[in-house]
Amino acid sequence: MRWVAAVTLVLALACPTVAVADPQPVASVTVGCPGAQVPPGPPADEEKADPPPAPLPWPPEPVGGPQMGACDEIGPGGGPELTAASWVLADLDTGEVLAARAPHARHRPASTLKVLTALTVVRSLNPDQVVQGTAEDQAIDGSKAGIGPGGQYTVRQLLAGLMLNSGNDTAQALARSMGGDGPTLARMTDIAREVGALDTRPATPSGLDGPGMASSAYDLAVLFRVAMREPLFAETVGLRSIPFPGYADHPGFVLYNSSKLLANYEDTIGGKTGFTEAARHTLVGAAERGGRRLVVALMRGEQTPVPTWKQGARLLDWGFELPATTPAVGRLVDAAPVPPAPPPVADLAAGRTLALRPVPPLLPVSLGVIAVTGLVIGGLALRRRR
């Protein structure tokens, strides 16, 4: 019947269909390890907040490649025994990850966070800018470089105090020079996001525990790799000692690098360690041998039966012994991953089955469409009567 065909035509215009490819199966990828979205408890008193900070979200896919979502060890077997709950071994230049254990598990970074602080400093301050020490700097908790009220220090000298002697006092002075803790932490957070360190949330400029503090072995390796491209940072972390100014009636002195990796492992080109009761022992550092540079990061380690620096050294030794053809299990990124664009619709030439699916109507299914349909049917009926 002709009126049926006309109705069908009108409805087709109102709600057309389009050929789209059948969905393809997607391989299962582990994004976040169970229980590892936030650092393990118990929380330090300094971390308690009301309300507590929400956990950092897991990204849609593991940063650095699918295998970086692993919750256990990945890479070639035969590596050294390590106490660290999470670690990464990677090529400092190419970014290829050679082996890892739970690389994206979130832990407290302790003073290894100072790598991010230093990176923020070299990108934000003139190294020859002069900063005056305060009594508040001197009274800060934890390790200190030895600045005091009335002392005059260049940013370059404070950076040395930050990295060589893990000075929380110099971290505070540098943060004050960048506008205070709030703006400094905001800038640190921006840089972490910019370079793809999405597990990292700084809570203090020094790495002392604070609400929401988190990082990962993967992020520490990423941050150290990016920081080593800054000449001032690379020069500073490789120093064994430096003359340091005094203050008031306190004379100047020699500031020594406290890194045992630098002191005992001759191939070391720089590194940073950290410790708090809640974080346990952390380490990030790099070494060069035979024209090849490797970076290691260890989190939540213990000093027994082997000191953390020696565990890092053994991991580096093993990495240098691996053949150059060892396949990478992932990659240290240089920037935050860009979400993938939706795949294009395939056509028949691609050899995939196409299915017809409705799409939004060209004309709204409304009284207007119903009226047009009624007019068509009425017209056809009138012609039949005539």
Side-chain angles (χ1 to χ4, degrees):
M1 294 170 45
R2 277 188 271 178
W3 69 271
V4 174
V7 171
T8 302
L9 175 61
V10 172
L11 293 178
L13 290 173
C15 188
T17 58
V18 64
V20 298
D22 283 346
Q24 300 299 303
V26 178
S28 176
V29 175
T30 300
V31 175
C33 299
Q37 192 171 7
V38 296
D45 289 340
E46 296 83 359
E47 294 178 290
K48 296 175 182 176
D50 187 18
L56 287 173
W58 292 117
E61 297 179 358
V63 179
Q67 293 188 73
M68 291 292 93
C71 302
D72 206 343
E73 292 190 18
I74 50 174
E81 291 292 328
L82 305 174
T83 64
S86 177
W87 55 264
V88 165
L89 168 68
D91 189 296
L92 185 67
D93 296 306
T94 67
E96 291 185 346
V97 178
L98 305 178
R101 174 192 293 167
H104 280 298
R106 276 77 181 263
H107 293 282
R108 302 169 182 87
S111 283
T112 53
L113 185 74
K114 288 184 171 81
V115 172
L116 176 56
T117 309
L119 180 59
T120 305
V121 168
V122 300
R123 290 188 174 186
S124 305
L125 298 177
N126 183 334
D128 296 317
Q129 176 183 335
V130 176
V131 180
Q132 182 168 305
T134 68
E136 289 75 19
D137 299 335
Q138 191 178 38
I140 196 169
D141 291 335
S143 56
K144 303 179 183 67
I147 69 175
Q152 301 289 317
Y153 311 93
T154 65
V155 167
R156 190 187 308 271
Q157 290 167 332
L158 292 175
L159 190 64
L162 182 77
M163 298 307 296
L164 271 64
N165 209 48
S166 200
N168 296 341
D169 50 355
T170 58
Q172 182 162 289
L174 288 165
R176 185 171 62 253
S177 301
M178 292 186 287
D181 282 6
T184 298
L185 293 173
R187 178 65 176 138
M188 291 169 68
T189 301
D190 288 343
I191 290 177
R193 298 289 174 273
E194 175 189 322
V195 302
L198 305 187
D199 301 317
T200 298
R201 176 164 56 192
T204 63
S206 63
L208 289 171
D209 297 319
M213 178 77 86
S215 191
S216 67
Y218 180 89
D219 281 14
L220 290 182
V222 164
L223 291 168
F224 194 83
R225 180 172 180 247
V226 172
M228 285 294 285
R229 297 172 184 164
E230 301 285 349
L232 180 56
F233 178 90
E235 174 190 342
T236 301
V237 294
L239 292 172
R240 295 182 180 272
S241 64
I242 186 174
F244 205 74
Y247 61 93
D249 57 351
H250 294 261
F253 58 97
V254 176
L255 185 71
Y256 291 95
N257 198 320
S258 61
S259 170
K260 292 185 177 179
L261 188 67
L262 183 67
N264 296 285
Y265 192 73
E266 64 178 1
D267 297 320
T268 303
I269 57 177
K272 188 75 195 73
T273 58
F275 172 80
T276 69
E277 286 292 341
R280 308 311 299 159
H281 296 273
T282 59
L283 178 148
V284 62
E288 182 174 5
R289 183 184 299 174
R292 189 182 191 192
R293 302 197 303 171
L294 299 180
V295 59
V296 293
L298 297 87
M299 301 197 78
R300 200 167 184 82
E302 297 296 341
Q303 296 284 63
T304 57
V306 179
T308 307
W309 76 264
K310 191 170 287 187
Q311 295 180 52
R314 291 180 177 179
L315 192 55
L316 286 165
D317 277 339
W318 178 58
F320 285 123
E321 292 167 0
L322 291 174
T325 55
T326 301
V329 295
R331 185 173 296 276
L332 301 179
V333 297
D334 295 302
V338 178
V345 176
D347 56 18
L348 288 173
R352 290 166 60 184
T353 304
L354 299 183
L356 292 178
R357 296 182 185 174
V359 299
L362 298 176
L363 298 174
V365 180
S366 60
L367 291 176
V369 175
I370 295 172
V372 171
T373 306
L375 288 174
V376 171
I377 295 173
L380 291 174
L382 181 61
R383 287 185 62 186
R384 291 190 65 184
R385 282 197 298 270
R386 288 177 179 173

